[in-house]
Amino acid sequence: MLYGSISHWRNKLKSGEITPTELVQELAKVATDKNPSVNAYISWNTEAALQAAAKADISLPLGGIPIAIKDNICLQGEPTRCASQMLHNFISPYDATAVARLKAAGAIPFGRANMDEFAMGSAGENSAFGHTENPSAPGHTPGGSSSGSAAAVAAGMAIAALGSDTGGSIRQPASHCGIVGLKPTYGRISRYGLVAFASSLDQIGPITQNVSDAALLLNTLCGHDAKDSTSAPRDTEDFTRNIGQSIAGKRIGLPKEYLSSGNSPEVTAALQLAIAKLTDMGAEIVEISLPHSEAVVSAYYIIACAEASSNLSRFDGIRYGYRADNTNGLDDLYSKSRAQGFGAEVKRRIILGTYVLSSGFYDAYYAKAQKVRALVAKDFADAFTQVDFILGPVAPTAAPKLHNTAQSPLQVYLADIYTIPANLAGLPGISIPVPQNGGLPIGVQLLGQHFAEADLLQVAAALESSLA
Ligand code: GLN
């Protein structure tokens, strides 16, 4: 099993206790043993990883460390399917910038992590390659859409992983699997080579066993990239620099809208415990208000679906993607290829997105949702005049049971209420596990100001160690 942090394995590699080749061999063995039940990986290429391991330079910051990569992040020479039939035979001809940076830091990409198709979902069940099991809560979903990334880390099938977060897809599966997930500030990590779902919301980020691993990965992943026009013109930083420092005097906002009676008792208890620990460490908890919280889910699903309908129009069977057989003319080819290539949830989103952008409805839905988005961003700007960070739940409940057909899509969407705001406002957010006595894993979320990841990681690390 590959439990143990990046630092743990780096120490073993540096002392010669294990070689990068042995580490990859161990990983391949664990994947072979566990994947039939967990289904965290759609595929992996042991030979390519062994070749990289043979050349790994362990003097580099991530030298010799294998990292699992979500199936929507391009990995050169490997399938990048977004867990969709639509891209079933697509082999990426290039590396995403995030992957190229990991490689340049000595890391070894390993495995294509399962996910909800095109990152649309919250349970990992919308994959064309089968659902993923939650290794920390058998019979339950691992959350989504970065279901495989989180499950791989929680199962000891990866030391760390990359996920993507459009409305919570890093933080929510991390919370449901009992590990750490960081969504950086929008623009912090290049999106070049991330297959777009909703471009104004998508961010790549790390899913790790602890907070300091998230900081270590962010050190490598961040930095301006000319290939992504939304990449922020920011230098790289050392995000571990504040970890271990006191958080006494930090002001942490608790939005009154997040103390909803819709939260499960376990989620409320986890939040209370985090509040107690933060207070013990000298932080000041301040009640704040985010008045537009009840509108975030509607605004997100309008904006995300609108952008998805546009982004996914390229998958037409001609320019990109699966092409249906036995078609009769161009329109028939488009319609059969898209009907057969996309799963039900992706089609639902494309239909919703096309509707809200269509003439006659645009102002009532899309334009209005953009106004709500601006109000949500203003709520945070106002809150951050009073506090340095915001604390809240990650999700209203712990991981739901697998194959729970009792919930309508709308009920599933509503459970994204606490993660969506950070995407709408472009803020960094981190999910930190709160240890449970035998119960299902539950995380709490800390949000920070734009580009304040180093401070956010400081508070997250302090909370993590106080809970240990
Ligand atoms: N659950 C959300 C959705 O289905 C978030 C997805 C994501 O962050 N990729 O849209």
Side-chain angles (χ1 to χ4, degrees):
M1 263 2 91
L2 297 172
Y3 296 116
S5 64
I6 293 178
S7 316
H8 166 89
W9 290 103
R10 287 280 297 144
N11 287 339
K12 283 186 182 288
L13 287 163
K14 281 194 273 188
S15 70
E17 210 178 308
I18 191 168
T19 65
T21 299
E22 286 164 352
L23 188 51
V24 167
Q25 282 165 341
E26 173 67 12
L27 178 53
K29 188 173 155 301
V30 176
T32 307
D33 285 353
K34 286 199 157 187
N35 208 56
S37 57
V38 181
N39 201 24
Y41 293 120
I42 299 176
S43 62
W44 63 88
N45 183 340
T46 306
E47 207 177 307
L50 284 171
Q51 275 170 18
K55 289 184 285 188
D57 177 352
I58 54 169
S59 68
L60 292 169
L62 298 173
I65 299 292
I67 309 277
I69 313 287
K70 189 174 178 180
D71 198 41
N72 61 348
I73 302 173
C74 287
L75 179 56
Q76 187 173 14
E78 296 294 326
T80 300
R81 287 157 290 216
C82 300
S84 180
Q85 183 60 23
M86 183 51 91
L87 287 171
H88 70 110
N89 60 358
F90 176 65
I91 305 289
S92 177
Y94 66 96
D95 279 330
T97 297
V99 169
R101 291 197 172 164
L102 287 181
K103 285 183 177 173
I108 303 167
F110 182 94
R112 308 303 284 139
N114 206 352
M115 56 184 281
D116 285 297
E117 184 178 5
F118 284 101
M120 297 175 188
S122 308
E125 292 180 312
N126 299 332
S127 166
F129 297 86
H131 72 271
T132 301
E133 285 274 340
N134 186 333
S136 312
H140 293 255
T141 85
S145 66
S146 306
S147 45
S149 301
V153 174
M157 297 168 69
I159 295 168
L162 290 191
S164 68
D165 191 312
T166 304
S169 282
I170 288 175
R171 292 160 286 156
Q172 184 258 29
S175 173
H176 286 352
C177 290
I179 51 177
V180 169
L182 170 68
K183 181 202 94 75
T185 307
Y186 184 78
R188 178 64 98 174
I189 296 178
S190 169
R191 291 182 298 109
Y192 179 73
L194 168 68
V195 179
F197 161 10
S199 313
S200 76
L201 302 161
D202 300 338
Q203 260 301 282
I204 292 174
I207 296 183
T208 54
Q209 301 186 24
N210 63 29
V211 173
S212 95
D213 278 4
L216 275 179
L217 283 184
L218 189 59
N219 283 354
T220 292
L221 295 166
C222 74
H224 180 251
D225 178 17
K227 292 179 186 148
D228 169 6
S229 62
T230 61
S231 159
R234 295 252 165 179
D235 289 337
T236 53
E237 293 178 28
D238 178 10
F239 293 98
T240 64
R241 67 182 187 271
N242 296 340
I243 290 180
Q245 288 179 27
S246 161
I247 61 159
K250 302 272 186 205
R251 291 171 65 84
I252 300 177
L254 188 63
K256 62 172 196 266
E257 294 80 3
Y258 288 13
L259 304 171
S260 152
S261 58
N263 297 340
S264 75
E266 295 78 17
V267 165
T268 303
L271 197 57
Q272 295 304 342
L273 184 60
I275 292 169
K277 295 289 183 186
L278 290 164
T279 311
D280 282 352
M281 290 185 288
E284 191 187 341
I285 303 290
V286 181
E287 187 182 286
I288 58 164
S289 175
L290 297 170
H292 296 91
S293 296
E294 72 175 6
V296 298
V297 174
S298 318
Y300 166 83
Y301 276 93
I302 289 170
I303 293 167
C305 292
E307 294 187 24
S309 75
S310 164
N311 278 325
L312 272 60
S313 66
R314 73 192 64 169
F315 301 108
D316 58 8
I318 303 273
R319 289 174 298 173
Y320 291 97
Y322 168 89
R323 182 178 296 179
D325 291 332
N326 304 322
T327 54
N328 185 12
L330 190 61
D331 284 348
D332 194 43
L333 186 150
Y334 284 154
S335 105
K336 286 203 176 115
S337 297
R338 286 168 68 82
Q340 294 167 19
F342 288 132
E345 181 62 26
V346 175
K347 285 183 210 167
R348 185 184 350 260
R349 308 264 180 130
I350 292 171
I351 292 167
L352 268 169
T354 308
Y355 178 79
V356 299
L357 288 175
S358 59
S359 89
F361 298 105
Y362 182 96
D363 286 337
Y365 293 104
Y366 184 72
K368 195 162 178 188
Q370 291 291 13
K371 287 181 190 156
V372 172
R373 184 175 189 173
L375 292 170
V376 171
K378 186 170 177 305
D379 284 355
F380 281 108
D382 291 346
F384 283 128
T385 62
Q386 300 169 56
V387 295
D388 310 305
F389 306 94
I390 293 172
L391 175 72
V394 180
T397 65
K401 287 219 159 72
L402 279 163
H403 316 303
N404 175 1
T405 46
Q407 280 195 319
S408 69
L410 186 60
Q411 286 169 314
V412 173
Y413 297 170
L414 285 169
D416 294 339
I417 183 157
Y418 301 126
T419 47
I420 282 171
N423 302 81
L424 289 175
L427 299 168
I430 186 165
S431 160
I432 304 128
V434 176
Q436 301 294 310
N437 268 336
L440 299 176
I442 291 176
V444 292
Q445 176 177 225
L446 281 164
L447 302 176
Q449 305 193 40
H450 291 117
F451 298 105
E453 282 91 344
D455 299 332
L456 183 65
L457 287 156
Q458 176 189 353
V459 178
L463 179 59
E464 175 185 61
S465 51
S466 73
L467 289 164

PDB file of all heavy atoms in Angstrom, residues 3 5 9 26 30 45 67 87 90 93 95 102 106 133 144 152 170 177 256 307 337 351 370 375 394 410 424:
ATOM      1  N   TYR A   3       0.357   4.173   1.414  1.00  0.00           N
ATOM      2  CA  TYR A   3       0.035   5.193   2.399  1.00  0.00           C
ATOM      3  C   TYR A   3       1.330   5.896   2.785  1.00  0.00           C
ATOM      4  O   TYR A   3       2.406   5.319   2.709  1.00  0.00           O
ATOM      5  CB  TYR A   3      -0.652   4.562   3.615  1.00  0.00           C
ATOM      6  CG  TYR A   3      -1.986   3.955   3.247  1.00  0.00           C
ATOM      7  CD1 TYR A   3      -2.207   2.592   3.365  1.00  0.00           C
ATOM      8  CD2 TYR A   3      -3.008   4.750   2.729  1.00  0.00           C
ATOM      9  CE1 TYR A   3      -3.421   2.031   3.004  1.00  0.00           C
ATOM     10  CE2 TYR A   3      -4.224   4.194   2.366  1.00  0.00           C
ATOM     11  CZ  TYR A   3      -4.424   2.835   2.506  1.00  0.00           C
ATOM     12  OH  TYR A   3      -5.614   2.286   2.145  1.00  0.00           O
ATOM     13  N   SER A   5       2.928  10.171   3.042  1.00  0.00           N
ATOM     14  CA  SER A   5       2.889  11.408   2.266  1.00  0.00           C
ATOM     15  C   SER A   5       3.996  11.463   1.217  1.00  0.00           C
ATOM     16  O   SER A   5       4.872  10.596   1.173  1.00  0.00           O
ATOM     17  CB  SER A   5       3.062  12.580   3.227  1.00  0.00           C
ATOM     18  OG  SER A   5       4.355  12.470   3.798  1.00  0.00           O
ATOM     19  N   TRP A   9       7.741   9.426   1.212  1.00  0.00           N
ATOM     20  CA  TRP A   9       8.339   8.649   0.123  1.00  0.00           C
ATOM     21  C   TRP A   9       9.593   9.327  -0.417  1.00  0.00           C
ATOM     22  O   TRP A   9      10.548   8.656  -0.826  1.00  0.00           O
ATOM     23  CB  TRP A   9       7.313   8.397  -0.986  1.00  0.00           C
ATOM     24  CG  TRP A   9       6.258   7.431  -0.527  1.00  0.00           C
ATOM     25  CD1 TRP A   9       4.991   7.708  -0.140  1.00  0.00           C
ATOM     26  CD2 TRP A   9       6.410   6.008  -0.362  1.00  0.00           C
ATOM     27  NE1 TRP A   9       4.336   6.568   0.260  1.00  0.00           N
ATOM     28  CE2 TRP A   9       5.181   5.515   0.133  1.00  0.00           C
ATOM     29  CE3 TRP A   9       7.469   5.112  -0.553  1.00  0.00           C
ATOM     30  CZ2 TRP A   9       4.980   4.161   0.412  1.00  0.00           C
ATOM     31  CZ3 TRP A   9       7.258   3.759  -0.283  1.00  0.00           C
ATOM     32  CH2 TRP A   9       6.027   3.294   0.197  1.00  0.00           C
ATOM     33  N   GLU A  26       5.727  -1.269  -7.062  1.00  0.00           N
ATOM     34  CA  GLU A  26       4.811  -1.443  -5.931  1.00  0.00           C
ATOM     35  C   GLU A  26       3.435  -0.858  -6.280  1.00  0.00           C
ATOM     36  O   GLU A  26       2.395  -1.468  -6.019  1.00  0.00           O
ATOM     37  CB  GLU A  26       5.420  -0.753  -4.695  1.00  0.00           C
ATOM     38  CG  GLU A  26       4.528  -0.685  -3.477  1.00  0.00           C
ATOM     39  CD  GLU A  26       4.225  -2.035  -2.850  1.00  0.00           C
ATOM     40  OE1 GLU A  26       4.890  -3.018  -3.210  1.00  0.00           O
ATOM     41  OE2 GLU A  26       3.288  -2.099  -2.020  1.00  0.00           O
ATOM     42  N   VAL A  30      -0.172  -2.706  -6.448  1.00  0.00           N
ATOM     43  CA  VAL A  30      -1.353  -2.278  -5.675  1.00  0.00           C
ATOM     44  C   VAL A  30      -2.525  -2.017  -6.628  1.00  0.00           C
ATOM     45  O   VAL A  30      -3.666  -2.407  -6.357  1.00  0.00           O
ATOM     46  CB  VAL A  30      -1.043  -1.024  -4.833  1.00  0.00           C
ATOM     47  CG1 VAL A  30      -2.284  -0.528  -4.117  1.00  0.00           C
ATOM     48  CG2 VAL A  30       0.053  -1.303  -3.826  1.00  0.00           C
ATOM     49  N   ASN A  45      -0.311   2.640 -17.374  1.00  0.00           N
ATOM     50  CA  ASN A  45       0.711   2.153 -18.290  1.00  0.00           C
ATOM     51  C   ASN A  45       1.989   1.947 -17.480  1.00  0.00           C
ATOM     52  O   ASN A  45       2.771   2.866 -17.284  1.00  0.00           O
ATOM     53  CB  ASN A  45       0.915   3.188 -19.406  1.00  0.00           C
ATOM     54  CG  ASN A  45       1.911   2.722 -20.447  1.00  0.00           C
ATOM     55  OD1 ASN A  45       2.718   1.833 -20.201  1.00  0.00           O
ATOM     56  ND2 ASN A  45       1.869   3.349 -21.616  1.00  0.00           N
ATOM     57  N   ILE A  67       2.305  10.198  -9.599  1.00  0.00           N
ATOM     58  CA  ILE A  67       1.097  11.006  -9.345  1.00  0.00           C
ATOM     59  C   ILE A  67      -0.003  10.534 -10.304  1.00  0.00           C
ATOM     60  O   ILE A  67       0.208  10.470 -11.518  1.00  0.00           O
ATOM     61  CB  ILE A  67       1.357  12.513  -9.620  1.00  0.00           C
ATOM     62  CG1 ILE A  67       2.608  13.031  -8.892  1.00  0.00           C
ATOM     63  CG2 ILE A  67       0.113  13.352  -9.323  1.00  0.00           C
ATOM     64  CD1 ILE A  67       2.435  13.423  -7.458  1.00  0.00           C
ATOM     65  N   LEU A  87     -14.746  10.027 -26.275  1.00  0.00           N
ATOM     66  CA  LEU A  87     -13.288  10.125 -26.483  1.00  0.00           C
ATOM     67  C   LEU A  87     -12.616   8.773 -26.221  1.00  0.00           C
ATOM     68  O   LEU A  87     -11.446   8.729 -25.839  1.00  0.00           O
ATOM     69  CB  LEU A  87     -12.706  11.202 -25.553  1.00  0.00           C
ATOM     70  CG  LEU A  87     -13.015  12.648 -25.953  1.00  0.00           C
ATOM     71  CD1 LEU A  87     -12.591  13.623 -24.853  1.00  0.00           C
ATOM     72  CD2 LEU A  87     -12.325  13.021 -27.256  1.00  0.00           C
ATOM     73  N   PHE A  90      -9.241   8.406 -27.956  1.00  0.00           N
ATOM     74  CA  PHE A  90      -8.370   9.575 -28.106  1.00  0.00           C
ATOM     75  C   PHE A  90      -7.071   9.385 -27.320  1.00  0.00           C
ATOM     76  O   PHE A  90      -7.088   9.138 -26.113  1.00  0.00           O
ATOM     77  CB  PHE A  90      -9.088  10.840 -27.611  1.00  0.00           C
ATOM     78  CG  PHE A  90      -8.220  12.078 -27.641  1.00  0.00           C
ATOM     79  CD1 PHE A  90      -7.768  12.592 -28.848  1.00  0.00           C
ATOM     80  CD2 PHE A  90      -7.827  12.707 -26.466  1.00  0.00           C
ATOM     81  CE1 PHE A  90      -6.949  13.726 -28.879  1.00  0.00           C
ATOM     82  CE2 PHE A  90      -7.014  13.840 -26.489  1.00  0.00           C
ATOM     83  CZ  PHE A  90      -6.573  14.345 -27.703  1.00  0.00           C
ATOM     84  N   PRO A  93      -1.832  13.896 -27.846  1.00  0.00           N
ATOM     85  CA  PRO A  93      -0.528  14.103 -28.480  1.00  0.00           C
ATOM     86  C   PRO A  93       0.385  15.031 -27.682  1.00  0.00           C
ATOM     87  O   PRO A  93       1.512  15.270 -28.088  1.00  0.00           O
ATOM     88  CB  PRO A  93      -0.896  14.737 -29.834  1.00  0.00           C
ATOM     89  CG  PRO A  93      -2.193  15.420 -29.592  1.00  0.00           C
ATOM     90  CD  PRO A  93      -2.902  14.689 -28.471  1.00  0.00           C
ATOM     91  N   ASP A  95       1.240  17.008 -23.506  1.00  0.00           N
ATOM     92  CA  ASP A  95       0.985  17.077 -22.068  1.00  0.00           C
ATOM     93  C   ASP A  95       0.282  18.380 -21.714  1.00  0.00           C
ATOM     94  O   ASP A  95       0.662  19.448 -22.217  1.00  0.00           O
ATOM     95  CB  ASP A  95       2.315  17.073 -21.293  1.00  0.00           C
ATOM     96  CG  ASP A  95       2.895  15.684 -21.118  1.00  0.00           C
ATOM     97  OD1 ASP A  95       2.117  14.710 -21.048  1.00  0.00           O
ATOM     98  OD2 ASP A  95       4.143  15.580 -21.049  1.00  0.00           O
ATOM     99  N   LEU A 102       4.745  18.814 -13.618  1.00  0.00           N
ATOM    100  CA  LEU A 102       5.031  17.690 -12.709  1.00  0.00           C
ATOM    101  C   LEU A 102       6.232  16.901 -13.222  1.00  0.00           C
ATOM    102  O   LEU A 102       7.132  16.548 -12.455  1.00  0.00           O
ATOM    103  CB  LEU A 102       3.818  16.749 -12.612  1.00  0.00           C
ATOM    104  CG  LEU A 102       2.606  17.220 -11.833  1.00  0.00           C
ATOM    105  CD1 LEU A 102       1.529  16.134 -11.839  1.00  0.00           C
ATOM    106  CD2 LEU A 102       2.970  17.570 -10.386  1.00  0.00           C
ATOM    107  N   GLY A 106      10.275  16.114 -11.774  1.00  0.00           N
ATOM    108  CA  GLY A 106      10.723  14.750 -11.484  1.00  0.00           C
ATOM    109  C   GLY A 106       9.618  13.758 -11.189  1.00  0.00           C
ATOM    110  O   GLY A 106       9.892  12.567 -10.974  1.00  0.00           O
ATOM    111  N   GLU A 133     -15.676   2.881  -6.266  1.00  0.00           N
ATOM    112  CA  GLU A 133     -16.082   2.642  -4.869  1.00  0.00           C
ATOM    113  C   GLU A 133     -15.342   3.598  -3.949  1.00  0.00           C
ATOM    114  O   GLU A 133     -14.198   3.956  -4.229  1.00  0.00           O
ATOM    115  CB  GLU A 133     -15.677   1.215  -4.452  1.00  0.00           C
ATOM    116  CG  GLU A 133     -16.543   0.123  -5.010  1.00  0.00           C
ATOM    117  CD  GLU A 133     -17.784  -0.162  -4.168  1.00  0.00           C
ATOM    118  OE1 GLU A 133     -17.809   0.198  -2.953  1.00  0.00           O
ATOM    119  OE2 GLU A 133     -18.713  -0.741  -4.731  1.00  0.00           O
ATOM    120  N   GLY A 144     -17.586  13.145  -6.406  1.00  0.00           N
ATOM    121  CA  GLY A 144     -17.163  13.383  -7.774  1.00  0.00           C
ATOM    122  C   GLY A 144     -17.040  14.857  -8.046  1.00  0.00           C
ATOM    123  O   GLY A 144     -17.345  15.668  -7.167  1.00  0.00           O
ATOM    124  N   ALA A 152      -8.190   6.781  -5.384  1.00  0.00           N
ATOM    125  CA  ALA A 152      -6.841   6.228  -5.517  1.00  0.00           C
ATOM    126  C   ALA A 152      -5.989   6.657  -4.324  1.00  0.00           C
ATOM    127  O   ALA A 152      -5.286   5.831  -3.723  1.00  0.00           O
ATOM    128  CB  ALA A 152      -6.197   6.695  -6.827  1.00  0.00           C
ATOM    129  N   ILE A 170     -12.918  18.733  -6.697  1.00  0.00           N
ATOM    130  CA  ILE A 170     -11.728  18.308  -5.953  1.00  0.00           C
ATOM    131  C   ILE A 170     -12.087  18.212  -4.473  1.00  0.00           C
ATOM    132  O   ILE A 170     -11.796  17.216  -3.805  1.00  0.00           O
ATOM    133  CB  ILE A 170     -10.566  19.316  -6.145  1.00  0.00           C
ATOM    134  CG1 ILE A 170      -9.997  19.191  -7.562  1.00  0.00           C
ATOM    135  CG2 ILE A 170      -9.491  19.115  -5.089  1.00  0.00           C
ATOM    136  CD1 ILE A 170      -8.928  20.226  -7.902  1.00  0.00           C
ATOM    137  N   CYS A 177     -13.894  11.053   0.909  1.00  0.00           N
ATOM    138  CA  CYS A 177     -12.908   9.963   1.057  1.00  0.00           C
ATOM    139  C   CYS A 177     -11.969  10.190   2.242  1.00  0.00           C
ATOM    140  O   CYS A 177     -11.084   9.379   2.492  1.00  0.00           O
ATOM    141  CB  CYS A 177     -12.083   9.816  -0.225  1.00  0.00           C
ATOM    142  SG  CYS A 177     -13.026   9.152  -1.615  1.00  0.00           S
ATOM    143  N   LYS A 256     -23.553  32.730   8.277  1.00  0.00           N
ATOM    144  CA  LYS A 256     -24.745  32.215   8.969  1.00  0.00           C
ATOM    145  C   LYS A 256     -25.590  31.367   8.019  1.00  0.00           C
ATOM    146  O   LYS A 256     -26.251  30.432   8.436  1.00  0.00           O
ATOM    147  CB  LYS A 256     -25.530  33.332   9.634  1.00  0.00           C
ATOM    148  CG  LYS A 256     -26.099  34.404   8.733  1.00  0.00           C
ATOM    149  CD  LYS A 256     -27.004  35.312   9.585  1.00  0.00           C
ATOM    150  CE  LYS A 256     -27.911  36.170   8.752  1.00  0.00           C
ATOM    151  NZ  LYS A 256     -27.392  37.497   8.459  1.00  0.00           N
ATOM    152  N   GLU A 307     -21.699  27.133 -20.692  1.00  0.00           N
ATOM    153  CA  GLU A 307     -20.323  26.989 -21.185  1.00  0.00           C
ATOM    154  C   GLU A 307     -20.071  25.576 -21.697  1.00  0.00           C
ATOM    155  O   GLU A 307     -19.370  25.378 -22.695  1.00  0.00           O
ATOM    156  CB  GLU A 307     -19.333  27.364 -20.076  1.00  0.00           C
ATOM    157  CG  GLU A 307     -19.418  28.846 -19.722  1.00  0.00           C
ATOM    158  CD  GLU A 307     -18.337  29.297 -18.735  1.00  0.00           C
ATOM    159  OE1 GLU A 307     -17.278  28.655 -18.645  1.00  0.00           O
ATOM    160  OE2 GLU A 307     -18.584  30.310 -18.056  1.00  0.00           O
ATOM    161  N   SER A 337     -23.825  10.443 -33.699  1.00  0.00           N
ATOM    162  CA  SER A 337     -22.533  10.396 -32.994  1.00  0.00           C
ATOM    163  C   SER A 337     -22.686  10.980 -31.590  1.00  0.00           C
ATOM    164  O   SER A 337     -22.198  10.417 -30.611  1.00  0.00           O
ATOM    165  CB  SER A 337     -21.460  11.193 -33.754  1.00  0.00           C
ATOM    166  OG  SER A 337     -21.240  10.621 -35.016  1.00  0.00           O
ATOM    167  N   ILE A 351     -28.354  20.153 -23.255  1.00  0.00           N
ATOM    168  CA  ILE A 351     -29.705  20.637 -23.574  1.00  0.00           C
ATOM    169  C   ILE A 351     -30.043  21.867 -22.723  1.00  0.00           C
ATOM    170  O   ILE A 351     -30.505  22.903 -23.235  1.00  0.00           O
ATOM    171  CB  ILE A 351     -30.750  19.507 -23.383  1.00  0.00           C
ATOM    172  CG1 ILE A 351     -30.525  18.420 -24.445  1.00  0.00           C
ATOM    173  CG2 ILE A 351     -32.174  20.048 -23.457  1.00  0.00           C
ATOM    174  CD1 ILE A 351     -31.283  17.119 -24.188  1.00  0.00           C
ATOM    175  N   GLN A 370     -25.299  35.621 -14.706  1.00  0.00           N
ATOM    176  CA  GLN A 370     -24.033  36.371 -14.637  1.00  0.00           C
ATOM    177  C   GLN A 370     -24.135  37.512 -13.624  1.00  0.00           C
ATOM    178  O   GLN A 370     -23.158  37.822 -12.941  1.00  0.00           O
ATOM    179  CB  GLN A 370     -23.665  36.942 -16.020  1.00  0.00           C
ATOM    180  CG  GLN A 370     -23.268  35.889 -17.036  1.00  0.00           C
ATOM    181  CD  GLN A 370     -21.926  35.207 -16.736  1.00  0.00           C
ATOM    182  OE1 GLN A 370     -21.376  35.336 -15.649  1.00  0.00           O
ATOM    183  NE2 GLN A 370     -21.416  34.474 -17.704  1.00  0.00           N
ATOM    184  N   LEU A 375     -22.869  39.360  -7.923  1.00  0.00           N
ATOM    185  CA  LEU A 375     -23.305  39.622  -6.541  1.00  0.00           C
ATOM    186  C   LEU A 375     -22.622  38.673  -5.554  1.00  0.00           C
ATOM    187  O   LEU A 375     -22.256  39.067  -4.438  1.00  0.00           O
ATOM    188  CB  LEU A 375     -24.832  39.479  -6.433  1.00  0.00           C
ATOM    189  CG  LEU A 375     -25.636  40.557  -7.166  1.00  0.00           C
ATOM    190  CD1 LEU A 375     -27.126  40.198  -7.209  1.00  0.00           C
ATOM    191  CD2 LEU A 375     -25.457  41.921  -6.486  1.00  0.00           C
ATOM    192  N   VAL A 394     -18.188  21.217   3.506  1.00  0.00           N
ATOM    193  CA  VAL A 394     -17.873  20.937   2.089  1.00  0.00           C
ATOM    194  C   VAL A 394     -19.169  20.517   1.393  1.00  0.00           C
ATOM    195  O   VAL A 394     -19.467  20.955   0.277  1.00  0.00           O
ATOM    196  CB  VAL A 394     -16.807  19.831   1.964  1.00  0.00           C
ATOM    197  CG1 VAL A 394     -16.498  19.560   0.498  1.00  0.00           C
ATOM    198  CG2 VAL A 394     -15.543  20.211   2.729  1.00  0.00           C
ATOM    199  N   LEU A 410     -31.927  17.319  -9.502  1.00  0.00           N
ATOM    200  CA  LEU A 410     -31.971  18.613  -8.812  1.00  0.00           C
ATOM    201  C   LEU A 410     -31.469  18.481  -7.371  1.00  0.00           C
ATOM    202  O   LEU A 410     -30.693  19.319  -6.888  1.00  0.00           O
ATOM    203  CB  LEU A 410     -33.404  19.173  -8.837  1.00  0.00           C
ATOM    204  CG  LEU A 410     -33.549  20.578  -8.271  1.00  0.00           C
ATOM    205  CD1 LEU A 410     -32.696  21.578  -9.044  1.00  0.00           C
ATOM    206  CD2 LEU A 410     -35.006  21.019  -8.307  1.00  0.00           C
ATOM    207  N   LEU A 424     -17.582  30.318  -8.493  1.00  0.00           N
ATOM    208  CA  LEU A 424     -18.215  31.512  -9.072  1.00  0.00           C
ATOM    209  C   LEU A 424     -17.363  32.749  -8.805  1.00  0.00           C
ATOM    210  O   LEU A 424     -17.269  33.642  -9.641  1.00  0.00           O
ATOM    211  CB  LEU A 424     -19.625  31.709  -8.491  1.00  0.00           C
ATOM    212  CG  LEU A 424     -20.695  30.715  -8.940  1.00  0.00           C
ATOM    213  CD1 LEU A 424     -22.000  30.971  -8.186  1.00  0.00           C
ATOM    214  CD2 LEU A 424     -20.945  30.773 -10.450  1.00  0.00           C
TER     215      LEU A 424
END
